[in-house]
Each structure stands twice: as structure tokens, then as C-alpha cells.
Amino acid sequence: MPRSGSVGHLEIDSVSRSFGSLRAVNAVSLDIAAGEFIAFLGPSGCGKTTLLRIIAGFEAADSGRLTLDGRVLAGLPPNRRDVGMVFQNLALFPHLTVAENVAFGLELRRKGTAEIARQVEEALALVALDGLAGRRIQQLSGGQRQRVALARALVLHPAVLLLDEPLSALDLKLRRQLQGELKALQRRTGTTFVFVTHDQEEALSMADRVAVFNRGGLEQFDTPQALYGRPATRFVAEFVGDANIRSAAQLAPLGLSLPAGSLLVIRPEDCVVGTAAAAAPVRIDGVVEAVDFVGPHARLRVAPDGMPAGTTEPWLALLPGAALDGLAPGARATLGFDPARAAQLPASQIRGGA
Amino acid sequence: MTGPGRRLALFAPMGLLIAAFVLSVAGLLWSSATRGGIGLYVELLSDPGILRVLWRTVWIAVATTAACALLGYPLALFLARSPRRNLWLLLVISPWLVSIVVRTFGWVVLLGNRGVVNTALRDWGLIDAPVRVLFTPWAVLIGLVHVFLPFMVIAILSSLLLQDRRLEEAGRILGGTRWQTFRRVTLPLSLPGVVGGSSLVLLMSAGAIVTPLLLGGLRDRMLGTQIYTEVFQVFNFERATAMAVILLVVALVLVAPLRLLEARVRRRLEGA
């Protein structure tokens, strides 16, 4: 049930919100295109949920501007924003059946009985829940409840659907399955999705673009590839995936010169260990500290040999499982990498930190 | 102590209470059956005076319950939403710090022909002759609502506080105004509290003695006061016993539909 035309263009213009002395959301600006799947990513307390609640109308912004398809949202109550929401705990109505939950919003819009029945059926089919219309919420599994919450929101064709960590309560396997379904559903309906999560893998795998938050501020808003490959800040580099982050001073003994104060971000999978390291442009000799073998790949921690103080931070490397080749804790090994594949953080953009 | 011994120890005080309750009711039924017999009931239930008392008891109890629910719900809702809930709650239950006799006597002072209310109304020229409220069923109703309102408020408050606030937010974002969300989400989910509080108030007001005695006078009696009179003034224990049995039956009949309703509401909410 795609909406005609392009609706769901959400503009967030330097929105701020404080609770007492805490700056929960600090001058955040985001331009979200119609039909985009956006993830808000950050640790708990970073302001992502507060921003979501401001968009929904449950919190008011202290300053800044929110527009949806050109309409200013400030002052509009939640029921008049054309915004849908899936809550973290789903907030399904326990006194209503599945069908009654989905029909809730339609009834408030005073649609005819036949029309409501048709749309409820359509929405339940969309989330593959046909046949469960008469069930009570308490009789459903976690995954089924998830789908009822989605159907209840999507049946109203909102311009934007907000999702507040809706998968966080599910076990990993179900979570992966629903992530895929959610993404497919978003493609099919063409609705703008804003998905809040603290799980970076979830954010990267699902979203068209990811907004990374830290301490109320927006760190970076970019595609998953750009976020991972070219992190804008040290916080993003550390929060999104693993990284070896080294300063100019730490790299100087290796023969690498960086502008003073800047950092180099070397992803573990760009490191090689053992015989393969012989050909790498930069090489570090050391001792293998730890090996985590997880099947397709293995994570290694290599402690470099005594070098000038402050440079002996262990290095992380991610190798194909088959390349482990006898590397065990305590073994001597050489780790190498190609600085051309590493991202550089200029001094001016180094802020935050985990 | 472990196992059955510990459980027994925990159960003992409760067991004593239950035993006392069962024995007293059994004793009541037994003495009623042996001393008065069925003839006494026929006599009582064909006495127009007693029937009036019976009817008065029923309507005052029902009206008290309805008034407590209507007044108590908004109050409970306010408490549930207030950031200073505990302070307000203290005010709501503060009447319990004062003896029921003192509290009820306060109403005598307020409602009498020369009481505060009538004097004020006369001074403002709103009435010429005092409005007779004291020693009418209306005074009893006012007094009972005053005494039992806190029970209703606490019963409703507890069910409101159990409710997830996200449900109201869900109602709002699905298009509901505040009122629509209240009517379709908050109210139905708090019905167990209303029904529970109503059962409590209904039972207590049907058996009330002190309030109807002080505010209703000796003419407009309720069953409780009638029994009190039979015991302490007429010393007719047979009649008192039979009336106590009638009161028991009336209370059960009044509360039964509420318990059924409560069971239904709970089943619906918990999806058993």
C-alpha cells in the first residue's frame, strides 16, 4: 500500500531539548528524504529516543524547527501529525483483539465498518498475520506482537513511521528475521522509517542512512558504508565497528607521518598477520595476546614489542578463519597494514570519545 | 523453619482470622435457625417498617457507591498524574487519622438546622428557613461518601498506576484526542479498580452503623442501626440475629453482580 506522490520528507533544523541541566538533544539538524529508511544510532542516553519523542509530539523542543512535508510540527498534538510509532514495549492494547488493535486508529477516523474491515484485513495480510484477527494479544508470540504493532501503525498510512528499538526484546534469531521483514516492508510501503537502535549492526544492515548520536549531539549522518569507511569523528570510528585508532605520535616510530594531532583509523580486517604481513607497507612485530576463533573469521589481539612509551596499545586484527595458521596466544607474529586503506581523522574533528 | 512447618507458621494468623470469621457466621446462622426459626423471617419481611429500612439500606449503599465512584475517579486520575502524588495521597487518607465518630460528628455541626451550612445560607439571604438535611437519608449519604471515598480512590489509583503510560501515547499517536484516548484506553483498563473499589464501598456502606446512627437519627434507620437498636435498646437478640442474616444476604446479593463483572473484565484484560 504505497502512498501516492512523495510524502514523508522530514526536516529537523537545529532542534534542542534540555531536561534541567542535561542537554538531551543539542542543536540537531537532519534532512530526511521521503521514503528513506533512517536509523538513529547511539549509546543509551545519547538523545536519540528524546528526538524521536519530539518528532512524535510527546516532548516539545526548546528551540529549533521541525517540518514534515513543509508543515511545521511545533504546536501540533501527536494525533494531528500524520506520524506513526512502534513503541519499544509495543504498547498494544491488552483489552482489545488483534483486529481491534489494528482498527483502533481507523475507528477514530470514522471510517465505515466495511472499509475498516477491509483495511484491517489488508494490513494483517501485509505483516503475514491473516487468520489471527480474533486472537487476544496475550495469546501471541513476541514476533507476532511485533507484527501487530507494525500493522496498527501502517494501516493509517502515516507519512513517517517512528520505531523505538522495537526489536530489542527479541532473541537474536527472531530479531534477524524481523529485521529482514521490516526492511522489505519499508521498501514495499515506501513509508519514511525512522528507526532508533543502539545496535550498530542493526543500524548498518537496515538503514539507507544512519545518524550517529553521542551526548545529545549528532556526530555523523551518512550512508552505512561512508560511516564505516570514513568516520567523521573518533566517537563514530569507535562506536561503529572495531577500530585501531592511532595518533601521529604513536605512528611516527613506524615511519608514518601524520599531521600533528590527527588520528588514523585502521579497521581490524585491513590488518594482516603472519607470513602475509611480509608484503604490507607498514609492519609491527609483537606477541599474540588473544585469539577468538568464531568460524568464518578469527579476532586476534597482538601486543607490539616494547616501543616508545604510549605506543604499546595492542592491535586488533580480523583474519579469515582459515588464515589463522597456527597463530596461538604467546606466539610471535608480525602484523601489517596498508595506510592507504585507513581513514584519517583531522585534528579539528576529533571530539567525543566513548 | 523450613517446608510445611514454615508455611504453617505463616498461615497460622490468617487461619485464626478465617476460623473466627467462619465460626461467627456459622454461630449467627445456627442461633437464627434454632431460636427464631423461619417464622421470624416471615414476620420481619412482612413488616412494612423493616421493609422500608431494607430498601433504604439498599439505595443508600448503592448511591454511596455510585457517588464515591463518580467523585473518586477524577481524584484518582489527578493523583495518578500528579508529580506530588504522595503528598496528595496523604491528604486523601488523612481522615483516617481521626476517629469515625469525631468525623461524623463534624457533619452534625455542619449540617444541623443551626449548623454552619444553614447559618451561612441564611446570612447570605439564599434561604428563609433552614434546609433540613441532618437526620435525613441525605445526611447519611453525605457522611458515608466522606468516610468511604478514600477506599475508592486508592482502589482506582492502584489500577491507574499499574497502567503503562505508553498505552495512552499509543492512543494519541493513532489519532485519538485526549478524551478519546481516555474513553477507549485509560478508562476500560482501569475498570478492575473501579469494580474492586465499588465492591468494597458497597459492602461497607450496607453494613454501616456509626454514620447512619449519628446523621440519620432514629427515624431513618439503615439495617446496621436497626440491628444496633435491637441489641442495645430492645435487647431482642432473636430479631437482631435474623436481621444480621438478612443484611448478610443483602450484601451478597448486591456484591455478586460486581464480582461477576470484575471476573469478566479481568478475563478480558488478562486473556485467560
Side-chain angles (χ1 to χ4, degrees), chain B residues 205-218:
Chain B
S205 51
I209 295 175
V210 177
T211 308
L213 205 59
L214 288 177
L215 297 179
L218 290 174

Side-chain angles (χ1 to χ4, degrees), chain A residues 53 79 89 95 109 138, chain B residues 164 169 172 174 184 269:
Chain A
R53 292 175 59 80
N79 50 318
N89 66 358
H95 56 307
R109 282 161 180 72
Q138 297 82 355
Chain B
D164 177 9
E169 290 184 351
R172 294 301 308 279
L174 289 168
R184 287 167 172 263
L269 290 186

